Amino acid sequence: MRRAGLLAVALGLGVSGGASASPPPAHPGAALRMNDIQVVGSHNSFKARIPAEVMAQIRKRDARLADGLDYYHVPLAAQLDAGVRQLEIDIFADPKGGRYADPKGAKLVKATDKASGFDRPAMLKPGFKVLHIPDIDYRSTCATLVRCLGEVTAWSKAHPGHLPIMITLNAADTPQSHGVSDPLPLDDAALLDALDGEIRKAIPGKRLLTPDEVRGKDATLAGAVKGKGWPTLDAARGRIYVLFDVRPAVSEVYRTGHPSLRGRAMFGWYPDGEAESAVQIVQDPLVDGAKIRELVKSGVIVRTRTDANTVEARAHDFAKARAAVESGAQAVSTDYYPGAPDPLGLGFMVTLPQGEMARCNPVRVTGPCAVKP
């Protein structure tokens, strides 16, 4: 009852907040487009639980970091079963294989690799790896990018007609703190071409919705989404699209030779107004709610956060969640969707109003409207 009551208080006002925005561009009766919806997503969707022995050492050295890492997720297919329609996967380049096969934290764990949830054989093979922080938060429900994307593709095939799934690929490819192993930098054209290749291998054919399709015959991708608009929702159902979340230097290499991302597998995160800009990440809806609403009204797809580092969950603070929902951001990302593990026993959960996981976008659509997940 406490959880339901909190949700009612925290998110029950989301609908009225969204309705107070200026007149939106989409209306009932017209064909909904894929940016005319709002869905719940998950953050660090691959993250498995940190072994107790490793967590104890992290807490001994940095209690705040330990608190921020004290969450984890069910497998990707289970999240999709729960209605999650935006996933985030952290990637690390490993073209030779083995770069992340022997994490420092694993030496503290006495269980076997399989029992501890660490897939060392997969880590020894070449290809992009999936983990959060090398050496300390190294366990994943799917160790490689191809495996993670393959799980989403398999789920998609088994559930035809689902709402489009956004996958955000995040790459922290610069030296990190905490004494962990440095990742390979991704501002390398050959590595980025290889990344596109892995994506197309794991999400084959028309199931992958690409910038080329969205741009069509328009001169630029940005012009297409703000002019004719995104594909219709019906055309995007049963499909997956990928957003590349990286530092600007990597984004620049990714579009070099590919104006408006011609031939690329992923959408990029570029400043609004640039030719390649179609999807934006705005992390804090409390600070930038008005900015999100304007981007959404203009035709841009936005992903934002409802909580971070267990802070809001520990405080039972739904202010950011409410702001995210009211902003109209198409993807509102949380660590606490229905069915997510609750290792701290906090009873914190984020949904859209009335417990929904997907709805028509409150900033873009007026009047009666409903969508099937």
Side-chain angles (χ1 to χ4, degrees):
M1 291 298 295
R2 184 184 184 195
R3 176 179 292 181
L6 284 168
L7 279 172
V9 172
L11 299 183
L13 299 179
V15 173
S16 61
S20 65
S22 56
H27 304 275
L32 289 177
R33 296 189 177 271
M34 60 181 284
N35 59 320
D36 291 332
I37 59 173
Q38 185 177 62
V39 302
V40 175
S42 63
H43 161 254
N44 287 340
S45 312
F46 58 90
K47 189 178 178 321
R49 192 168 197 172
I50 297 175
E53 301 95 327
V54 179
M55 181 61 86
Q57 288 299 314
I58 298 172
R59 189 167 297 282
K60 184 177 180 180
R61 299 181 184 186
D62 189 336
R64 183 176 180 181
L65 175 63
D67 282 350
L69 295 176
D70 205 358
Y71 67 95
Y72 62 101
H73 292 295
V74 296
L76 300 181
Q79 294 180 49
L80 294 168
D81 284 340
V84 169
R85 292 295 180 268
Q86 177 262 317
L87 301 167
E88 182 184 51
I89 299 172
D90 288 3
I91 58 170
F92 291 79
D94 187 14
K96 296 181 180 179
R99 188 176 183 87
Y100 303 101
D102 296 294
K104 296 173 184 177
K107 297 176 182 178
L108 300 172
V109 182
K110 298 178 181 179
T112 64
D113 289 342
K114 185 175 181 180
S116 69
F118 180 68
D119 190 347
R120 188 171 186 272
M123 288 291 187
L124 288 170
K125 298 177 181 179
F128 284 85
K129 303 305 189 298
V130 174
L131 61 147
H132 188 211
I133 304 174
D135 295 314
I136 62 174
D137 196 0
Y138 55 87
R139 294 175 60 194
S140 171
T141 61
C142 44
T144 69
L145 176 61
V146 169
R147 184 177 298 176
C148 291
L149 297 182
E151 290 180 8
V152 179
T153 297
W155 187 93
S156 176
K157 290 179 178 178
H159 298 82
H162 62 76
L163 288 178
I165 299 167
M166 174 199 283
I167 299 178
T168 303
L169 294 191
N170 177 266
D173 69 325
T174 56
Q176 302 185 36
S177 57
H178 316 300
V180 302
S181 301
D182 290 339
L184 288 176
L186 272 178
D187 51 352
D188 179 296
L191 284 178
L192 296 179
D193 288 346
L195 177 58
D196 269 6
E198 290 198 10
I199 292 168
R200 293 185 186 278
K201 175 182 178 182
I203 313 173
K206 294 291 290 183
R207 193 169 302 275
L208 179 66
L209 196 156
T210 65
D212 282 342
E213 179 177 347
V214 174
R215 188 187 60 257
K217 296 182 180 179
D218 283 48
T220 67
L221 181 60
V225 300
K226 293 184 177 181
K228 68 182 180 184
W230 290 84
T232 65
L233 185 59
D234 284 347
R237 281 187 175 275
R239 304 180 71 186
I240 301 162
Y241 64 110
V242 183
L243 169 64
F244 200 21
D245 175 10
V246 286
R247 58 192 173 93
V250 180
S251 291
E252 187 61 36
V253 175
Y254 191 68
R255 70 178 171 184
T256 298
H258 300 268
S260 282
L261 302 178
R262 294 180 187 276
R264 285 302 195 183
M266 296 181 284
F267 296 87
W269 180 14
Y270 297 94
D272 188 45
E274 295 191 2
E276 293 77 16
S277 179
V279 186
Q280 292 283 323
I281 298 173
V282 184
Q283 300 285 24
D284 192 341
L286 283 172
V287 175
D288 291 316
K291 175 182 178 181
I292 294 172
R293 281 188 287 275
E294 290 307 310
L295 287 168
V296 169
K297 285 190 289 185
S298 76
V300 173
I301 287 178
V302 180
R303 178 257 193 182
T304 193
R305 300 276 299 275
T306 68
D307 50 86
N309 304 320
T310 75
V311 172
E312 288 79 12
R314 292 174 188 272
H316 282 271
D317 181 1
F318 286 89
K320 186 180 286 187
R322 183 168 57 247
V325 169
E326 293 177 354
S327 75
Q330 284 88 350
V332 293
S333 178
T334 180
D335 292 321
Y336 299 96
Y337 48 86
D342 187 12
L344 304 176
L346 298 174
F348 185 88
M349 185 176 69
V350 173
T351 70
L352 302 179
Q354 285 75 56
E356 293 181 321
M357 294 293 284
R359 65 169 179 165
C360 295
N361 193 294
V363 170
R364 291 192 56 83
V365 180
T366 58
C369 179
V371 294
K372 296 180 180 180

